[in-house]
């Protein structure tokens, strides 16, 4: 439950302490769908890396939700259907982008959005969530998905017949348990005694080449866990509203504030004065109105110093604005207007400080080139500036809409990163700087993911005798080996990297034993 003025969550005394077990409209179809998706999860994710498997599984799960809910379910889910757009985009980017950190962000964002879609599939509006209600709603949906399956199975599956057969089966089970150690010892001795028998036992315990009995058990466990998780999501998505209202949909008046108007205005006013003095100096030195004195450090050192401190100030100021809006007691229209003016000035000055931090980062990048941290932070600052502007707007117009704007800003930050393609951007920028005579960190370039390979390939095609030739072949050749996992692990970026590496004469990978022997000879 959230407050109307600030979007902060409040305690709901009527909320149930444990998730109620929903009655499924189509129990047999839901249970079979969960089992089928569990099998699909085992097939799709049976590999060391994600590829087309991830967006395909998301599409299958969404299609199952649509199929089980029918027209009625879609009518209830349609107000929040816009969440499907970023969900499909970020899950698809797992297949398109190979950068490990960006892939992690895409997977986390997809999971976050999928849990939101599941929660609001049956009822409610995501726009009504407060700022802190987003993580609480996602965590609540996750724990409900974990806790619901046993209750759903008990309520939807008739276990009475199985219970009547349990006493008859108990002697057989006890005998089988007693036979396990005996069979293990005898089998081990017979396998050691006869090679033909050993081969027959290996075939019996291996359901496919290279798969042992323990591997099979592990796969079955993975199918079961995946099916239970999917069943929890499907059951939670098909729940009904309670008395026409879903928990978390209502907005109530804010709780009694504890801070007076004078105290808040004094605090904001003093912060504004501090920011005004800092902003004046930044405008003078970083935007061409003045020069750094000779006794100070160089521009690159000046740009590096204090960057993260300025970024922290920007984030903390946003939190201060939200906290004061939540806890300040405003008794008249004049007090409301004065408070909004003071907070708007503070946000405006923070935008100047954020511009100073962005200028510092640009100077630092021009001096030392691009890295993951610098590029990700630069894009984050742009997204933070958008959120700050939205905060200034919502101070005067519908304050409860700030949360959805901040959520959209977070999605926009990740979307821009995916469109930018950080590894390709870093490779392109650093190679352009190297062509102008700047130093190039070749080892850092080699550490980039497959996303950077097309940019390096284009550079080598244009300048075969230029920079980054010595280590480029190592960068290309390490992507020529096929990725294990079969077609579910097919990845667009890896495919493009391998295609770019085909013209090179990459040595064939050595067998493990030969490679170990060769490395030992080199060591001696």
């Amino acid at each position: 439950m959230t407050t109307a003025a600030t979007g902060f969550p409040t305690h709901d005394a009527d909320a149930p302490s444990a998730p109620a077990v929903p009655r499924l409209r189509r129990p047999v179809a839901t249970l079979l769908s969960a089992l089928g998706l569990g099998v699909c999860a085992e097939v799709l994710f049976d590999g060391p890396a994600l590829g087309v498997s991830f967006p395909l599984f998301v599409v299958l799960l969404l299609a199952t939700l649509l199929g089980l809910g029918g027209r009625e379910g879609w009518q209830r889910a349609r107000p929040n259907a816009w969440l499907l757009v970023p969900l499909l985009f970020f899950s698809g980017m797992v297949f398109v982008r190979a950068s490990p950190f960006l892939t992690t962000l895409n997977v986390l964002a997809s999971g976050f959005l999928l849990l939101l879609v599941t929660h609001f599939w049956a009822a409610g509006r995501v726009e009504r969530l407060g700022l802190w209600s987003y993580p609480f709603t996602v965590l609540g949906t996750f724990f409900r998905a974990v806790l619901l399956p046993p209750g759903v199975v008990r309520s939807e599956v008739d276990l009475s017949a199985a219970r009547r057969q349990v006493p008859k089966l108990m002697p057989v089970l006890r005998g089988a348990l007693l036979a396990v150690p005996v069979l293990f010892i005898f089998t081990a001795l017979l396998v050691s005694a006869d090679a033909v028998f050993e081969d027959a036992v290996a075939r019996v315990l291996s359901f496919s080449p290279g798969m042992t009995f323990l591997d099979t058990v592990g796969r079955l466990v993975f199918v079961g866990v995946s099916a239970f998780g999917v069943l929890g999501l499907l059951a939670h998505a098909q729940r009904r509203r309670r008395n026409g209202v879903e928990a978390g949909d209502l907005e109530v008046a804010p709780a009694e504030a504890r801070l007076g108007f004078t105290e808040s205005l004094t605090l904001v006013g003093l912060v504004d004065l501090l920011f005004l003095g800092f902003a004046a100096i930044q405008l003078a030195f970083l935007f061409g109105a003045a020069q750094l004195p000779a006794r100070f450090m160089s521009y690159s050192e000046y740009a590096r110093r204090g960057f993260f401190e300025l970024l922290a100030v920007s984030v903390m100021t946003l939190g201060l604005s939200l906290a004061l809006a939540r806890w300040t007691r405003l008794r008249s229209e004049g007090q409301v207007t004065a408070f909004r003016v003071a907070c708007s000035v503070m946000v405006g000055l923070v935008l100047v400080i954020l511009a100073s931090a962005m200028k510092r980062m640009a100077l630092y990048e021009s001096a030392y080139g691009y890295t993951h941290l610098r590029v990700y932070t630069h894009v984050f600052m742009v997204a933070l500036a958008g959120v700050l502007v939205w905060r200034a707007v919502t101070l005067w117009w519908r304050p409860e809409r700030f949360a959805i704007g901040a959520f959209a800003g977070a999605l926009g930050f990740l979307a821009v990163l995916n469109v930018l393609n950080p590894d390709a951007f870093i490779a392109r920028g650093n190679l352009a700087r190297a062509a102008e005579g700047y130093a190039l960190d070749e080892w850092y370039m080699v550490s980039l993911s497959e996303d950077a390979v097309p940019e390096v390939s284009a550079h080598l095609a244009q300048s075969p005798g230029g920079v980054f030739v010595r280590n480029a072949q190592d960068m290309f050749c390490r992507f020529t080996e096929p990725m294990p996992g079969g077609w579910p692990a097919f990845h667009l970026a890896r495919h493009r990297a391998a295609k770019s590496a085909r013209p090179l004469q990459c040595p064939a990978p050595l067998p493990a034993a030969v490679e170990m022997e060769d490395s030992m000879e080199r060591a001696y």
Side-chain angles (χ1 to χ4, degrees):
M1 188 174 292
T2 61
T3 64
T6 64
F8 278 78
T10 59
H11 178 68
D12 184 6
D14 298 328
S17 58
V21 178
R23 298 296 299 183
L24 304 180
R25 293 176 62 250
R26 302 170 61 185
V28 176
T30 301
L31 292 172
L32 291 178
S33 298
L35 180 59
L37 286 173
V39 174
C40 290
E42 201 286 323
V43 172
L44 293 174
F45 300 126
D46 181 26
L50 297 175
V52 70
S53 55
F54 188 83
L56 181 58
F57 184 78
V58 171
V59 170
L60 289 174
L61 183 55
L62 294 177
T64 303
L65 278 176
L66 288 171
L68 293 175
R71 179 174 297 181
E72 178 188 354
W74 173 247
Q75 291 297 327
R76 290 185 284 124
R78 189 166 58 181
N80 304 294
W82 64 270
L83 289 171
L84 299 179
V85 176
L87 172 58
L88 293 174
F89 175 78
F90 293 129
S91 62
M93 283 296 126
V94 175
F95 165 64
V96 175
R97 299 289 181 240
S99 170
F101 184 69
L102 188 57
T103 298
T104 302
L105 292 180
N106 285 325
V107 170
L108 292 176
S110 299
F112 192 94
L113 288 165
L114 182 60
L115 291 172
L116 280 181
V117 168
T118 302
H119 180 80
F120 289 103
W121 193 265
R125 298 289 293 268
V126 69
E127 294 88 353
R128 296 181 180 179
L129 286 179
L131 185 61
W132 299 109
S133 295
Y134 282 93
F136 291 144
T137 299
V138 167
L139 288 175
T141 303
F142 174 79
F143 286 115
R144 287 187 184 96
V146 172
L147 298 175
L148 280 178
V152 172
V153 172
R154 284 196 301 269
S155 62
E156 301 294 350
V157 179
D158 184 13
L159 299 178
S160 58
R163 292 193 187 98
R164 289 193 295 269
Q165 299 297 325
V166 168
K168 301 177 181 179
L169 295 177
M170 286 305 297
V172 178
L173 293 176
R174 286 195 293 267
L177 289 176
L178 291 173
V180 168
V182 177
L183 290 176
F184 179 80
I185 295 173
F186 287 166
T187 302
L189 293 173
L190 293 174
V191 163
S192 301
D194 189 271
V196 177
F197 183 75
E198 179 184 9
D199 184 65
V201 171
R203 286 198 302 270
V204 170
L205 297 181
S206 299
F207 294 88
S208 67
M211 186 192 303
T212 65
F213 177 74
L214 292 179
D215 292 335
T216 304
V217 173
R219 289 171 181 265
L220 293 176
V221 171
F222 185 83
V223 169
V225 172
S226 301
F228 259 61
V230 171
L231 178 61
L233 291 176
L234 296 178
H236 184 63
Q238 295 180 70
R239 74 198 185 283
R240 303 286 184 168
R241 291 190 180 203
R242 296 186 294 276
N243 299 326
V245 177
E246 178 68 21
D249 286 354
L250 296 180
E251 296 175 351
V252 299
E256 182 65 25
R258 299 192 181 98
L259 195 61
F261 165 74
T262 303
E263 292 90 334
S264 288
L265 193 63
T266 302
L267 171 59
V268 176
L270 292 175
V271 171
D272 287 349
L273 289 175
L274 174 64
F275 287 175
L276 181 62
F278 186 85
I281 295 175
Q282 300 309 296
L283 290 172
F285 284 102
L286 289 177
F287 294 94
Q291 299 294 325
L292 274 177
R295 66 179 183 275
F296 286 105
M297 60 198 74
S298 65
Y299 268 111
S300 60
E301 294 171 330
Y302 183 68
R304 182 178 184 180
R305 178 179 175 180
F307 164 76
F308 286 104
E309 287 83 350
L310 296 182
L311 189 60
V313 167
S314 302
V315 175
M316 292 171 64
T317 302
L318 179 61
L320 177 63
S321 172
L322 293 172
L324 290 177
R326 172 67 179 82
W327 296 107
T328 300
R329 187 168 53 246
L330 304 176
R331 301 185 180 276
S332 65
E333 189 66 27
Q335 289 184 353
V336 172
T337 303
F339 178 79
R340 287 175 174 174
V341 169
C343 285
S344 298
V345 172
M346 181 172 65
V347 171
L349 292 172
V350 168
L351 287 173
V352 175
I353 293 176
L354 193 59
S356 170
M358 294 176 67
K359 181 69 174 179
R360 289 170 182 256
M361 178 57 72
L363 287 172
Y364 194 56
E365 288 170 342
S366 65
Y368 298 104
Y370 300 96
T371 63
H372 288 111
L373 180 61
R374 296 164 197 168
V375 172
Y376 280 81
T377 306
H378 213 143
V379 177
F380 173 75
M381 286 188 293
V382 176
L384 179 60
V387 173
L388 286 169
V389 170
W390 179 245
R391 176 57 184 160
V393 172
T394 54
L395 276 170
W396 299 89
W397 174 79
R398 304 191 69 175
E400 74 278 1
R401 292 294 184 182
F402 171 75
I404 187 65
F407 178 60
L411 296 180
F413 161 69
L414 186 53
V416 169
L417 284 177
N418 280 284
V419 174
L420 181 65
N421 194 358
D423 282 23
F425 178 82
I426 292 170
R428 183 168 56 251
N430 287 346
L431 288 172
R433 292 179 70 257
E436 296 174 0
Y438 291 92
L440 177 68
D441 188 347
E442 296 192 9
W443 290 113
Y444 187 81
M445 293 287 293
V446 172
S447 69
L448 297 177
S449 70
E450 295 93 329
D451 293 332
V453 172
E455 295 295 334
V456 178
S457 176
H459 171 78
L460 294 177
Q462 295 176 359
S463 306
V467 298
F468 193 49
V469 175
R470 183 178 59 195
N471 293 322
Q473 187 169 359
D474 295 335
M475 181 180 187
F476 279 96
C477 291
R478 67 189 176 100
F479 296 131
T480 57
E481 299 181 10
M483 177 63 67
W487 67 266
F490 176 75
H491 197 283
L492 183 60
R494 298 189 194 107
H495 173 72
R496 295 178 63 193
K499 186 177 179 180
S500 300
R502 285 173 187 168
L504 295 179
Q505 298 296 325
C506 297
L510 295 173
V514 177
E515 186 176 2
M516 181 180 297
E517 183 180 354
D518 185 60
S519 62
M520 292 178 65
E521 290 179 357
R522 289 196 302 267
Y524 287 100

